[in-house]
Amino acid sequence: MEPTFKIADSPIEPDTLRKRLASDASGAYASFEGWVRNHNDGKPVSALEYSAYQPLAEKEGARIVQEAKDRFPIKAAACVHRIGALEIGDIAVWVGVSSPHRSAAFDACRYIIDQTKIRVPVWKREHYADGPAEWVNCSQANTS
């Protein structure tokens, strides 16, 4: 069985991940893709770098996905977060949820991404087009 939360060092493939969540009992699917953008706080960003302590990140991420399954009437859910060097437009994080009805899929998807950003130990370093790279938002539990 595939893990429900994964830290990945290769590109995220949403179509492959979505197919793993499909079931005859599900009539809805919701997803979120977080993309690397070319700016942050008024600074031009040329690339990002993510790092994580993988065992802890995957354990906490799996806990979050299980919480979503316990809180919302969904059939399946998964989340993948990238680490390593990412370029503008790359997918940094993906969440997918399938359920019998759309409301639960939307609610669970939002819960998973929001909790992942707060609780999973993944750190982000921004590479700026006009200056040195910096670790950002490191005063929070998570900066992805």
Side-chain angles (χ1 to χ4, degrees):
M1 178 177 188
E2 289 285 322
T4 59
F5 187 96
K6 184 176 181 194
I7 297 293
D9 60 3
S10 59
I12 294 171
E13 298 182 23
D15 291 340
T16 301
L17 295 165
R18 180 184 50 78
K19 288 175 185 174
R20 293 180 187 153
L21 299 179
S23 79
D24 291 344
S26 293
Y29 166 78
S31 68
F32 171 82
E33 294 178 12
W35 303 330
V36 177
R37 64 180 182 266
N38 68 356
H39 67 281
N40 188 40
D41 290 335
K43 294 181 180 181
V45 174
S46 59
L48 292 182
E49 178 184 341
Y50 285 99
S51 63
Y53 178 60
Q54 190 166 347
L56 180 59
E58 289 182 342
K59 183 177 180 179
E60 187 62 19
R63 185 178 293 127
I64 291 165
V65 172
Q66 185 59 52
E67 288 169 7
K69 289 177 179 177
D70 294 343
R71 291 175 68 129
F72 306 99
I74 62 176
K75 293 296 180 186
C79 181
V80 179
H81 202 300
R82 280 283 305 273
I83 57 171
L86 282 78
E87 300 298 322
I88 303 303
D90 285 349
I91 299 172
V93 62
W94 175 91
V95 178
V97 177
S98 64
S99 70
H101 304 285
R102 69 182 174 269
S103 180
F106 284 126
D107 292 344
C109 189
R110 182 175 195 109
Y111 178 84
I112 292 168
I113 189 58
D114 287 350
Q115 291 300 307
T116 295
K117 289 185 66 68
I118 293 167
R119 295 167 41 192
V120 176
V122 174
W123 299 278
K124 178 171 66 173
R125 187 172 189 208
E126 291 185 342
H127 296 264
Y128 300 113
D130 62 356
E134 295 179 12
W135 293 99
V136 296
N137 300 326
C138 289
S139 62
Q140 298 175 358
N142 177 27
T143 62
S144 60

